[in-house]
Amino acid sequence: MNLIETNKDKFDKLYELYSEYNSHTNISAIRDKDSVYKKHFEDSLVIAPYITQKLSIVDIGTGGGFPALPLAICFPKCKITAVDSIGKKTKFIDLVKDELKLN
C-alpha cells in the first residue's frame, strides 16, 4: 500500500501549501516537486511500517514539518507533536495543520 497515493489529495495540498509558503519564506532548499515528494514526503514515511495507530510521536527539530506532517496525514489516530525553534517553520506547520484539519 502506497501511503502517499492513498492520501493523494492531502499530499497534493501539502505540496501546494509548501511551495507557496517556501516561495516567500525559506523553510527548505528543496523546491522542485519530485524532490519534495521523494526527500520530504517519502523519506518521512520510511518508519511507517513500525507505527501503530495510537502511538505518540515527538518530532524534535522538525524544520518544515518533516516527518511530522506526512506522518500526521497517514496516521490520524497517532498523537504527533512537532517541535522546532524557528518560528517561521512552526507557523508553516500550524498553517498546514489548520488547512488539512490535522490533529
Side-chain angles (χ1 to χ4, degrees):
M1 173 175 67
N2 183 322
L3 292 171
I4 293 175
E5 283 302 314
T6 302
N7 297 283
K8 185 177 181 348
D9 290 345
K10 286 192 176 184
F11 276 102
D12 287 347
K13 183 65 175 177
L14 173 57
Y15 174 74
E16 178 186 312
L17 293 167
Y18 170 87
S19 182
E20 191 279 323
Y21 197 90
N22 208 31
S23 71
H24 60 76
T25 304
N26 184 37
I27 54 174
S28 173
I30 299 170
R31 298 189 188 279
D32 72 274
K33 188 172 185 174
D34 289 340
S35 294
V36 170
Y37 270 79
K38 173 111 181 94
K39 295 178 181 177
H40 284 322
F41 301 170
E42 289 177 21
D43 285 356
S44 293
L45 298 173
V46 168
I47 66 168
Y50 307 102
I51 296 178
T52 60
Q53 287 300 315
K54 296 197 178 191
L55 193 65
S56 291
I57 298 169
V58 179
D59 178 6
I60 299 173
T62 192
F66 307 106
L69 293 172
L71 291 173
I73 289 170
C74 295
F75 300 96
K77 292 182 182 176
C78 287
K79 179 181 179 187
I80 300 174
T81 304
V83 179
D84 201 273
S85 63
I86 308 298
K88 65 183 179 180
K89 295 179 180 185
T90 58
K91 285 179 186 173
F92 170 70
I93 294 165
D94 285 339
L95 169 78
V96 171
K97 179 179 129 331
D98 292 344
E99 288 285 325
L100 297 182
K101 296 176 180 27
L102 302 173
N103 293 328

